[in-house]
Amino acid sequence: MRMRPRMLTLCLLSALCVAPPVLAQDLKKAVADDIFADHPSMDRNAVVMPAPDAKPVAPFFSERAIGDASVARTADGGWILTGTTLRSGVRHGIELWTSKDGKTWKGWGPAKVSGNGIVLDDVSERYLAPSVTVAGERLHLAFSDKTGCARVATGLAANPGGSFAASPCLVEDASDVSLFVDRDGTGYLLWGGGNIAKLQPGFAQLAEAPRFLKPDQALFARHPPVGKDWPVRTRIGRSGATMFRDGDRYVLAASEVTGRMRTATEDLFMAEGPTPYGPFGMRMLAVPHAGRGSIVRIEGGLAAAYNPKCDDGFALFCEQVGLVPLERAPDGRLRQAASVITEDSAVAARKPLITSETMRDPSVTLGGDGFYYLVGTLDGYGYHKPDGGVKLWRSADLKKWDEVGFIWRWEGMGYDFGKNIAELWAPEIKWVARDRTYYLAFSVMERSVGGKTWLYRSTSGQAEGPYANVTKSYLVKGIDGFPFEDDDGLYFLWGGGSIGRLNAARNGFEGSVRQLVDVDGDHVGYEGNGLIKVNGVYFLTGAEWHGPLRTHGTYDMMYGTSKSLFGPYSQRRMGAPHGGHGTAFADKQGRYWYTMFGNDPTAPWRMKFGLVPIDIGDPASIGVPRIGTARE
């Protein structure tokens, strides 16, 4: 069992953690075209920004290793828990634990289940993913027996150590069986990723043919743009389907391993409808890393069981059980509350540093005057020509940032965009010591044309400029320009790894343009590349999507290392989850940071500038501190 002693206590059972209002992401204008029509940088797809006093979810059950946890409450406020028992000890039947306060647990051993074909204490009866449901005085255990038959066993909630009478086989070849009992006493059997069937009174027989629950297909009448991920229309999740009722809404929850963060994240998804059969809305990610869904009532609302598998490299713990309080987002859907953190990385607990306006692709440089300077893509998805330009911020300590104002506007670019809509993207500012001045690179994306990148130089040697174009037009075709100063000169990196050494005039390249790739010939980040050099080792960073791309994936910072500027670089590895397109830099104390703006559904904030601490340990690794060791 993996345990992490740095876990903090979650003020959960007392429900004292109150979530503040969520920051609105009101874009000032419509997107120029359909490039971002399905982009998730908006509150409706965000999980939630942590509250100032947010704490990591902590285990409230750790009596033994357990998976597929199912939790229920009794009428007197007590707790009943079961799941797939793992590792050592008894592993047959359905083990039960109870608690009066959610702190001290009593184990009852395998439940005394009897029924046709079931032999009490038969060690060959290995039940996977059983569930518990309390309905009045009754305690129901739903499970799949060793032959794959779904059954419901019924006993008394007041006597979990007593006998349970099992139904006959209700459904064959079933897994992840659960029971939902509505307010009128009607029972519904659920299994797999969303199968459902109403039960006869007594829960010993189906009352109807099974059906499969999925989002209302009418919601998909409008197709996403070509080349974009399609929203999932065939399911809510792949396993662990369970149902509960919140007011007049029926909520279907199910889990799925999505592959976010380049690890086996098993996330909990939810969808709601007016009846147990729907029609259901689109599925929404409700609790990252939660594992199989189990929803209970706590003081003040609802909570989801948090029971990750050890395959998830960013879960706070594994094979133990915690509870994640839920809240209603501004659009009405359920999601994890702002009072809790569900991811074990320094990123998950951090806050944005500038909230006055939207920002993407932030770039920070430590200037020759000892100040830090910041630029980024503004006005939602970039200023449209002729509006705006590049705005500068300055900081002495990386905490308080003062707005300097616009340091570049569209005039005098030496390029005619005609009637094309042109958006200003990804400005990059860099202090170059050998030239004793600052360089400003930025890209312009034209509809139906593509992107080009310009390079400007401060003629005053000050970050405020004024800036002059190093050429009479754009420097390169492609986007995401990045100046990099090495021992032998100034280089320019752009696109997915193109690099060339700038000439003395900085208006062209000396020698050929090279392509930076890893040992397998692949790019290290398909966009947003940057470079730092630490102790003779080059670190090439870049942005990649993992998981279901823009619908529920993560936009992560990847990196590779090499002792040669031109590589080949090591196979790309995860550097900063949710980091995406940003800039790595060293502060005045020699500590390293990565800029981040929040571009995916599980990032802790959306389209705002923030900083993530990164550790550069051995000569070839970048890592983000875990949540208990993050520095300020």
Side-chain angles (χ1 to χ4, degrees):
M1 182 186 304
R2 179 181 65 177
M3 299 184 68
R4 294 174 182 166
R6 58 185 175 276
M7 293 299 101
L8 304 176
T9 302
L10 171 66
C11 51
L12 173 66
L13 299 180
S14 60
L16 297 178
C17 297
V18 179
V22 180
L23 287 177
Q25 301 294 342
D26 296 325
L27 299 184
K28 299 177 182 177
K29 57 181 175 54
V31 179
D33 51 23
D34 63 3
I35 294 175
F36 295 111
D38 67 339
H39 205 283
S41 290
M42 56 192 73
D43 178 70
R44 68 177 295 271
N45 278 341
V47 173
V48 67
M49 190 195 311
D53 59 349
K55 294 187 170 52
V57 60
F60 85 124
F61 175 87
S62 55
E63 306 304 300
R64 67 165 299 178
I66 191 172
D68 310 310
S70 176
V71 187
R73 302 298 301 273
T74 57
D76 61 358
W79 302 79
I80 300 179
L81 183 146
T82 190
T84 303
T85 49
L86 305 170
R87 310 292 180 250
S88 60
V90 174
R91 299 178 68 190
H92 69 276
I94 302 172
E95 282 204 81
L96 293 174
W97 290 266
T98 60
S99 175
K100 294 181 180 180
D101 57 6
K103 298 177 182 178
T104 303
W105 293 87
K106 174 181 174 60
W108 296 91
K112 297 180 176 62
V113 178
S114 61
N116 184 29
I118 296 178
V119 178
L120 188 64
D121 291 329
D122 181 355
V123 296
S124 69
E125 286 284 3
R126 173 76 166 138
Y127 301 148
L128 301 177
S131 67
V132 292
T133 303
V134 174
E137 298 180 348
R138 299 293 182 182
L139 174 60
H140 303 285
L141 307 177
F143 62 98
S144 178
D145 68 19
K146 64 182 179 183
T147 69
C149 277
R151 301 197 188 206
V152 174
T154 302
L156 294 175
N159 187 19
S163 61
F164 291 81
S167 71
C169 179
L170 299 171
V171 177
E172 295 182 343
D173 300 323
S175 61
D176 295 342
V177 182
S178 67
L179 174 70
F180 166 62
V181 181
D182 209 348
R183 292 172 183 169
D184 61 1
T186 303
Y188 297 85
L189 188 75
L190 293 104
W191 67 98
N195 297 286
I196 190 172
K198 183 189 292 185
L199 295 170
Q200 295 280 9
F203 307 159
Q205 187 176 352
L206 297 186
E208 62 184 7
R211 66 187 78 182
F212 187 78
L213 304 177
K214 58 186 177 181
D216 182 5
Q217 297 303 290
L219 299 173
F220 302 92
R222 181 180 178 184
H223 300 309
V226 175
K228 302 299 183 183
D229 268 19
W230 292 70
V232 174
R233 63 190 299 168
T234 59
R235 63 187 183 276
I236 307 304
R238 293 190 181 275
S239 60
T242 188
M243 184 173 286
F244 61 98
R245 188 169 176 176
D246 188 33
D248 61 353
R249 306 293 290 173
Y250 292 84
V251 186
L252 177 65
S255 64
E256 185 166 321
V257 177
T258 60
R260 294 183 306 106
M261 305 173 71
R262 222 185 190 199
T263 189
T265 52
E266 187 174 16
D267 301 318
L268 184 64
F269 293 84
M270 293 184 185
E272 301 186 30
T275 76
Y277 306 114
F280 288 95
M282 289 188 180
R283 76 172 192 170
M284 299 297 287
L285 197 160
V287 186
H289 310 279
R292 174 181 167 172
S294 179
I295 311 298
V296 295
R297 296 203 174 272
I298 59 173
E299 292 75 6
L302 298 166
Y306 182 89
N307 181 217
K309 295 180 174 64
C310 293
D311 296 338
D312 187 340
F314 288 94
L316 284 155
F317 50 81
C318 67
E319 298 179 356
Q320 302 168 72
V321 187
L323 290 174
V324 175
L326 303 175
E327 69 177 22
R328 289 283 179 180
D331 65 1
R333 65 186 173 85
L334 283 167
R335 64 179 180 188
Q336 73 175 63
S339 59
V340 66
I341 298 168
T342 57
E343 177 184 306
D344 191 10
S345 79
V347 179
R350 299 196 69 82
K351 310 294 190 300
L353 296 171
I354 295 176
T355 59
S356 58
E357 55 187 296
T358 61
M359 187 179 299
R360 301 170 58 84
D361 319 310
S363 167
V364 168
T365 190
L366 174 56
D369 56 3
F371 284 94
Y372 301 95
Y373 292 96
L374 162 71
V375 296
T377 304
L378 303 178
D379 199 41
Y381 298 97
Y383 281 112
H384 292 181
K385 185 180 184 300
D387 298 328
V390 178
K391 189 182 289 187
L392 182 72
W393 282 262
R394 182 173 67 181
S395 174
D397 57 8
L398 295 178
K399 296 178 181 179
K400 181 179 182 297
W401 291 85
D402 298 316
E403 182 178 318
V404 176
F406 285 101
I407 59 172
W408 179 89
R409 294 187 182 272
W410 292 88
E411 293 81 9
M413 292 184 68
Y415 184 81
D416 183 9
F417 293 98
K419 296 182 179 181
N420 282 341
I421 291 179
E423 295 172 311
L424 176 62
W425 286 4
E428 194 82 35
I429 189 168
K430 183 69 67 174
W431 164 255
V432 176
R434 61 171 19 92
D435 291 357
R436 305 298 299 170
T437 194
Y438 295 83
Y439 285 85
L440 182 68
F442 57 86
S443 303
V444 177
M445 177 64 75
E446 296 178 79
R447 179 192 289 191
S448 303
V449 175
K452 299 176 180 66
T453 296
W454 276 255
L455 181 63
Y456 276 65
R457 176 172 47 209
S458 172
T459 58
S460 67
Q462 305 297 314
E464 296 87 343
Y467 284 83
N469 194 344
V470 299
T471 70
K472 295 182 179 180
S473 184
Y474 60 86
L475 182 67
V476 295
K477 290 184 177 180
I479 62 173
D480 299 344
F482 185 91
F484 172 68
E485 185 178 15
D486 204 1
D487 297 336
D488 63 343
L490 182 62
Y491 290 81
F492 195 75
L493 175 69
W494 77 97
S498 297
I499 191 170
R501 181 179 173 179
L502 291 170
N503 58 25
R506 310 309 192 204
N507 59 4
F509 297 107
E510 289 182 353
S512 60
V513 170
R514 310 276 289 270
Q515 191 73 22
L516 303 185
V517 296
D518 70 7
V519 291
D520 296 324
D522 296 327
H523 59 248
V524 179
Y526 81 101
E527 66 177 5
N529 282 141
L531 276 165
I532 56 174
K533 186 178 182 181
V534 183
N535 297 325
V537 177
Y538 295 90
F539 290 79
L540 174 63
T541 62
E544 285 284 355
W545 282 95
H546 295 115
L549 196 58
R550 291 175 170 85
T551 53
H552 289 108
T554 47
Y555 187 63
D556 304 312
M557 181 266 271
M558 305 297 290
Y559 75 95
T561 63
S562 174
K563 291 186 177 180
S564 167
L565 172 61
F566 298 116
Y569 284 78
S570 62
Q571 287 183 325
R572 62 188 180 202
R573 289 177 278 177
M574 172 78 77
H578 316 289
H581 184 168
T583 302
F585 68 95
D587 65 16
K588 287 178 277 191
Q589 289 75 41
R591 302 174 301 182
Y592 285 88
W593 301 85
Y594 195 75
T595 64
M596 173 181 152
F597 66 92
N599 194 40
D600 64 64
T602 50
W605 68 80
R606 321 296 299 154
M607 293 176 67
K608 306 290 183 184
F609 162 66
L611 290 173
V612 175
I614 57 176
D615 290 335
I616 298 182
D618 63 72
S621 71
I622 293 178
V624 169
R626 293 299 184 174
I627 207 164
T629 58
R631 65 176 182 261
E632 292 300 319

